[in-house]
Amino acid sequence: MRTVLIAAAIVFSLLGSVTVEAAEIVIKFSHVTSGKAHPKYLAAEEFAKRVNERMKGKVRVEIFPGGQLFDDKAVLIELIKGNAVQMAAPSLSKFETITKKFRLFDLPFLFNDINAVNAFQASEHGQSILKTLESKGILGKAYWHNGMKQMSANKPLIQPEDANGLKFRVQQSDVLVAQFEQLGAIPQKMAFKEVYGALQTGVVDGQENTWSNIYSKKFFEVQDGVTETDHGVIDYAVVVSKRFWMGLPDDIRTELDAILMEVTNDRNKLSRSLNLENRQKILDSNGTIRTLTAEQKDAWRKAMKPVWDRFSDEIGADLIAAAQSFSQ
Ligand code: LMR
């Protein structure tokens, strides 16, 4: 008994003299892009910089770009568990397995430009789409912009018929599969990491992506040229593991939310100019860019439009109308 009391006294005196520091919270943020002028790469870096400066000792954000940790398909599964990764920003086209509402963003020629995308995302309808993730164990915290999609292939694409019979890489999205089928092309779902090799070796003939992805991944080097179609959008949902996020102390969560909102507002304004910078870099590197006349662009719009009918029931006609209203 005496020994126990002495031991307890030692423990108490030790505890009394030592202030126990709360362990630093580490947030692993995984994404697939890279490149010093890429909108998502830069936004993620900026988020980490601000958190790591302002919440020093309490929270540390570690960014894993270039798909070095997980590709976008795997990251969603890992996020639900919340152990290996706590934060990510997959493109909206990659949420297919979790919710069908995100399919809206892949409808061809739904938005005229990134400003229309931005206005819709900020609206009540736009925000309601993010909320559909919650019941699946993921919280959609913000939209980050990349930009409008362009189309490239190993031959010039001027009329929609030019895509006929060609194999195109698409993201993990059935709407994008339908879009290329509508053109008489052969779509193939493929991870971002594999696209350059697939274009180079002829596994696929073409692809669609933003200027920043086409430049940073050098797709233009293994294509005949890029056609400025602006036919769709690649944007991101910044997502966190619900289990992890709701387990954070309230004050920490509030501060992280505030920093994320600041970074979102600051960086989204720069996405268009960054994409134009990447477009220019393609030209400076002797890449070919083809522009379309209004009539030619209209022909692409008409050729792809039937895709809307195939998906409008499950996306919801009201949601489509709401999104469309920002491009009229
Ligand atoms: C793609 O797979 O083409 C894009 O979603 C990559 C990205 O994150 O921009």
Side-chain angles (χ1 to χ4, degrees):
M1 182 62 177
R2 195 162 169 268
T3 335
V4 174
L5 284 177
I6 293 170
I10 293 170
V11 169
F12 277 121
S13 69
L14 276 177
L15 280 178
S17 61
V18 176
T19 16
V20 183
E21 291 281 333
E24 192 178 49
I25 297 162
V26 176
I27 299 178
K28 290 200 169 77
F29 187 146
S30 162
H31 71 88
V32 299
T33 57
S34 43
K36 297 275 176 274
H38 192 286
K40 178 164 62 176
Y41 178 88
L42 292 173
E45 293 297 320
E46 187 60 28
F47 175 69
K49 181 169 171 270
R50 292 193 200 181
V51 171
N52 296 349
E53 272 169 18
R54 284 159 42 186
M55 301 183 79
K56 201 171 186 318
K58 290 191 286 182
V59 181
R60 192 173 76 251
V61 175
E62 293 174 355
I63 309 285
F64 296 87
Q68 55 181 276
L69 214 50
F70 296 107
D71 70 22
D72 280 332
K73 206 171 167 192
V75 93
L76 289 173
I77 300 163
E78 291 300 327
L79 267 184
I80 294 169
K81 293 188 237 156
N83 299 327
V85 64
Q86 292 77 32
M87 199 162 180
S91 114
L92 302 176
S93 313
K94 311 251 175 84
F95 286 85
E96 181 107 341
T97 49
I98 306 218
T99 168
K100 301 282 185 269
K101 292 287 173 199
F102 276 59
R103 287 183 162 180
L104 172 83
F105 292 102
D106 283 337
L107 293 179
F109 292 104
L110 175 62
F111 298 105
N112 283 351
D113 52 29
I114 202 71
N115 290 338
V117 177
N118 188 69
F120 170 70
Q121 288 172 346
S123 72
E124 208 177 303
H125 278 104
Q127 290 297 308
S128 74
I129 303 183
L130 280 183
K131 296 202 179 83
T132 60
L133 299 172
E134 188 164 350
S135 61
K136 311 289 178 183
I138 290 177
L139 299 178
K141 305 299 295 177
Y143 288 109
W144 277 359
H145 298 329
N146 185 333
M148 303 307 282
K149 283 187 290 188
Q150 322 301 337
M151 218 180 271
S152 71
N154 53 13
K155 60 174 262 203
L157 298 171
I158 304 297
Q159 299 291 343
E161 297 76 42
D162 297 332
N164 192 26
L166 298 184
K167 287 176 269 155
F168 279 88
R169 176 268 174 172
V170 290
Q171 301 177 82
Q172 305 288 327
S173 155
D174 286 353
V175 182
L176 300 179
V177 166
Q179 172 190 276
F180 281 103
E181 282 173 353
Q182 198 60 45
L183 297 171
I186 305 140
Q188 204 167 313
K189 288 183 181 174
M190 190 182 286
F192 188 51
K193 241 181 176 172
E194 291 161 23
V195 182
Y196 181 89
L199 291 170
Q200 192 182 36
T201 55
V203 170
V204 289
D205 303 304
Q207 64 85 46
E208 51 165 14
N209 228 308
T210 60
W211 295 121
S212 56
N213 279 344
I214 294 171
Y215 177 72
S216 61
K217 291 293 169 190
K218 304 198 184 310
F219 297 159
F220 69 98
E221 288 184 359
V222 284
Q223 295 280 263
D224 169 79
V226 187
T227 304
E228 189 159 30
T229 47
D230 285 330
H231 66 282
V233 63
I234 289 193
D235 255 20
Y236 308 109
V238 182
V239 284
V240 294
S241 159
K242 183 178 173 187
R243 215 172 118 213
F244 169 79
W245 206 254
M246 297 322 286
L248 291 173
D250 286 352
D251 58 332
I252 298 269
R253 197 172 45 241
T254 307
E255 200 171 347
L256 284 170
D257 277 335
I259 296 176
L260 182 58
M261 190 170 293
E262 267 176 31
V263 171
T264 301
N265 291 336
D266 291 352
R267 298 304 315 180
N268 274 355
K269 289 191 196 110
L270 303 175
S271 69
R272 193 176 131 70
S273 58
L274 282 173
N275 269 296
L276 291 178
E277 203 181 294
N278 281 280
R279 183 188 189 280
Q280 186 56 44
K281 283 182 179 161
I282 294 174
L283 291 173
D284 296 345
S285 316
N286 294 322
T288 302
I289 294 178
R290 298 190 174 89
T291 51
L292 299 174
T293 64
E295 291 74 33
Q296 286 163 343
K297 196 161 167 182
D298 217 39
W300 285 90
R301 187 179 286 117
K302 284 203 182 91
M304 291 172 164
K305 189 69 199 287
V307 172
W308 288 35
D309 299 332
R310 280 175 62 179
F311 294 93
S312 66
D313 280 353
E314 69 183 21
I315 294 171
D318 56 331
L319 206 56
I320 297 178
Q324 239 184 325
S325 71
F326 294 98
S327 293
Q328 273 154 7

